[in-house]
Amino acid sequence: MFKREVKPLSEVLNQFLRREGLEMPLLQKRLVDNWDDIVGKAVVRYTGEKFIRNQTLMVKITNPALRADLSMMRSQLVKRLNDSVGSMVITEIKFY
């Protein structure tokens, strides 16, 4: 009889994603998608495009006063967003 190593599907899937270089793009997509849940509806109303470049989340905020407030909360937002995906995906947020 052959002895097979049984692994959970999630573990096999994570190994595949890591091996094919798809793990980080997937985590980045999840982090950008989690922005709305982390900041709330009031901020989402003034949020434009969001993308990640060189471990920096770039977020367009259309309200200058809100942009200043969010800039002061930058480190807290980085921590909460990274915690939401369970990995260190971004190191900084820039608002424009």
Side-chain angles (χ1 to χ4, degrees):
M1 294 237 75
F2 291 106
K3 187 173 184 180
R4 295 183 184 192
E5 183 180 345
V6 178
K7 294 181 181 179
L9 182 58
S10 62
E11 183 180 329
V12 173
L13 188 58
N14 285 336
Q15 287 175 352
F16 172 77
L17 290 172
R18 193 172 296 120
R19 186 177 65 239
E20 297 299 318
L22 299 171
E23 183 180 33
M24 189 53 70
L26 181 61
L27 289 173
Q28 290 175 344
K29 171 83 169 93
R30 286 181 184 163
L31 186 135
V32 170
D33 290 345
N34 287 344
W35 170 263
D36 295 355
D37 297 330
I38 299 293
V39 297
K41 291 180 183 179
V43 175
V44 171
R45 230 178 294 153
Y46 299 102
T47 300
E49 63 179 327
K50 309 171 288 270
F51 60 91
I52 296 177
R53 180 181 296 148
N54 299 330
Q55 290 187 316
T56 301
L57 176 63
M58 308 292 286
V59 182
K60 182 173 185 170
I61 302 292
T62 58
N63 184 314
L66 180 60
R67 189 180 315 127
D69 288 345
L70 290 173
S71 292
M72 290 186 276
M73 299 173 51
R74 203 175 273 164
S75 61
Q76 296 165 340
L77 288 171
V78 168
K79 182 179 180 341
R80 289 176 66 191
L81 286 163
N82 282 329
D83 289 347
S84 74
V85 294
S87 183
M88 182 74 161
V89 176
I90 61 171
T91 57
E92 188 178 347
I93 299 177
K94 288 189 179 178
F95 302 104
Y96 65 97

